[in-house]
Amino acid sequence: RRLVSILLLAAVLACALPVRAGQMTVAFSSLPPWKMTIQGQPLGADVDLIRAVAREMGLEPVFVRGTLEECLAMLRRGQAEVMTSLLKTPDRERYLIYLDPPLRENEDKAFYQRAGDRPIGAYSDLTGRRIGVKTDAVYFQPFDSDPAITRLATPNITDLISMLNDKTIEAFALTAAEGDYWLRVLGWEGEIKKAPYVYQGLNPAYLAIARRSPLASRAAEMSAILEKLKSSGAMARITARYVR
């Protein structure tokens, strides 16, 4: 499995579009309802927002798809310039510039279990359990580093569901909006349930620029555009198109 992942990552990086004048290369991983691919086209609140930002800057966004792991690799290597809906970590700050204001102040994190299993009703119920997570994703502290929890990583939702069904894991963690979306779309709402415990602490999600990108010199400009979109209500109106 590791060899397959390495080969897939190499293929994505080889196909990544070169950064060209007049373009904004956007690393694009799935995170419904914020980021989706519908009939081959990027769609979602983040897509509309990045297009609004690019338009203000006189740029054309070009979306390069990949898993979260692949997108972060593209940003590190300078093969993509920006990415949306990223939580801040010290490791990521080494190669990313996070822009204020954040796109969202809170990113609720939920846990999904097989229907009928002993429910996760509090954080303490995670102790000793095997929990599936998305590769390179961050959720919240102390979950991300808790030694009493076994975290098993995989790049996509279908693997998480398979691991849950074959009991490799006892639950999987996702951003609540994404997890609810996938269960509904994939038809697993009867067999898989969201646990009562949901992390709802402050957990801002940002638009970030790769430090190796020429756009790094325009970080202040991009922040000012985000502030204008937020204060004018445009950001809220964009979100309302996709999130109810």
Side-chain angles (χ1 to χ4, degrees):
R1 180 181 288 183
R2 180 62 180 168
L3 177 58
V4 170
S5 297
I6 292 171
L7 292 174
L8 286 173
L9 177 58
V12 167
L13 294 176
C15 294
L17 298 177
V19 176
R20 296 175 180 172
Q23 290 184 342
M24 176 190 290
T25 307
V26 184
F28 189 74
S29 63
S30 176
L31 186 67
W34 311 106
K35 299 185 284 185
M36 304 172 281
T37 301
I38 307 295
Q39 295 182 340
Q41 298 301 313
L43 187 70
D46 282 14
V47 175
D48 289 1
L49 180 68
I50 203 68
R51 283 177 171 152
V53 172
R55 185 166 54 248
E56 290 279 337
M57 299 178 71
L59 300 172
E60 178 67 27
V62 177
F63 297 91
V64 184
R65 297 181 184 86
T67 65
L68 174 61
E69 180 184 20
E70 291 162 349
C71 286
L72 292 174
M74 285 188 275
L75 292 165
R76 283 195 299 269
R77 295 167 183 256
Q79 292 172 302
E81 299 184 278
V82 301
M83 190 170 177
T84 60
S85 289
L86 286 175
L87 302 188
K88 188 182 293 187
T89 70
D91 176 66
R92 291 177 180 178
E93 285 189 283
R94 285 197 280 268
Y95 60 92
L96 294 173
I97 301 169
Y98 286 83
L99 301 183
D100 285 314
L103 306 184
R104 297 179 296 282
E105 293 290 347
N106 298 297
E107 284 277 78
D108 291 356
K109 302 300 181 182
F111 296 86
Y112 296 84
Q113 306 175 262
R114 291 179 298 272
D117 282 3
R118 180 170 60 89
I120 298 170
Y123 180 81
S124 58
D125 291 335
L126 296 169
T127 299
R129 298 212 194 191
R130 301 182 308 279
I131 307 296
V133 296
K134 290 177 75 172
T135 306
D136 275 357
V138 293
Y139 294 85
F140 62 92
Q141 290 294 349
F143 173 76
D144 290 332
S145 58
D146 193 335
I149 300 169
T150 300
R151 290 167 296 277
L152 302 177
T154 188
N156 56 66
I157 181 65
T158 53
D159 284 348
L160 289 173
I161 290 173
S162 295
M163 291 164 68
L164 184 66
N165 285 333
D166 67 18
K167 300 187 179 181
T168 301
I169 57 176
E170 298 166 83
F172 60 78
L174 282 177
T175 297
E178 180 186 12
D180 293 351
Y181 172 89
W182 282 122
L183 291 194
R184 183 174 66 253
V185 169
L186 298 176
W188 285 99
E189 290 177 298
E191 292 80 7
I192 299 174
K193 299 295 185 182
K194 182 162 64 177
Y197 172 70
V198 176
Y199 175 80
Q200 297 178 308
L202 184 64
N203 216 11
Y206 294 87
L207 169 62
I209 309 173
R211 292 187 182 275
R212 297 182 64 177
S213 165
L215 289 181
S217 64
R218 301 179 69 177
E221 178 188 356
M222 291 180 73
S223 283
I225 293 169
L226 286 176
E227 183 58 51
K228 184 175 77 169
L229 291 170
K230 184 174 184 178
S231 62
S232 69
M235 192 180 293
R237 289 192 293 274
I238 289 170
T239 298
R241 296 173 194 163
Y242 301 94
V243 182
R244 294 290 183 265

